[in-house]
Every structure is written in structure tokens, then in C-alpha cells.
């Protein structure tokens, strides 16, 4: 289990390192429209992880409640 977790974390770090490279400066000299900030990539992953974690918690609570009522 520990080996799988380490492999997963390492592959995520390698996969996201391509997105973290710095961009070259704007050739216009910084004048004009301000740059936009992309927030979709990490935000959607955090949202999916939160939904999965919440679903597991609800499942565990329902399972515990059904075991308590059966006893």
C-alpha cells in the first residue's frame, strides 16, 4: 500500500510539473490588458477530491448507523 501511495504521489508531481513552468514576458512591455489567471486546473481537482471525500464520509456514517440499529 505504501509503495502504491508513493508511486501515485510521485507521478502526480511529475505530471503537474509541466504546468508549473514559467511563461516568457509579454513582448508588449506590460501595457494593455492585464493578464488572466487560469484557476480551472487545480480548482476542479480539489473540488473532485472534496466530493469523493464527502461521499466516503457519508457512506461510512450510513454504514455505522445501519450496524447500530441492527444490534
Amino acid at each position: 500500500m505504501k509503495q502504491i501511495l508513493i508511486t501515485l504521489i510521485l507521478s502526480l508531481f511529475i505530471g503537474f510539473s509541466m504546468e508549473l513552468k514559467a511563461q516568457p514576458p509579454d513582448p508588449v512591455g506590460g501595457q494593455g490588458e492585464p493578464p488572466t489567471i487560469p484557476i480551472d486546473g487545480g480548482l476542479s481537482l480539489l473540488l473532485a477530491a472534496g466530493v469523493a471525500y464527502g461521499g466516503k464520509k457519508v457512506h461510512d456514517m450510513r454504514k455505522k448507523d445501519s450496524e447500530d440499529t441492527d444490534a
Side-chain angles (χ1 to χ4, degrees):
M1 178 67 181
K2 187 176 181 180
Q3 183 68 26
I4 294 172
L5 183 63
I6 291 172
T7 305
L8 177 66
I9 290 173
L10 183 62
S11 63
L12 287 174
F13 280 138
I14 291 171
F16 286 120
S17 67
M18 298 304 253
E19 294 180 14
L20 298 176
K21 291 185 178 179
Q23 302 270 331
D26 195 18
V28 184
Q31 296 180 6
E33 200 172 305
T36 58
I37 301 171
I39 59 170
D40 184 43
L43 190 61
S44 60
L45 288 175
L46 286 174
L47 182 63
V51 168
Y53 182 71
K56 182 182 180 332
K57 285 292 195 178
V58 168
H59 180 267
D60 290 345
M61 286 190 333
R62 286 187 181 173
K63 185 177 176 183
K64 181 181 174 191
D65 286 344
S66 69
E67 288 175 356
D68 289 343
T69 57
D70 290 341

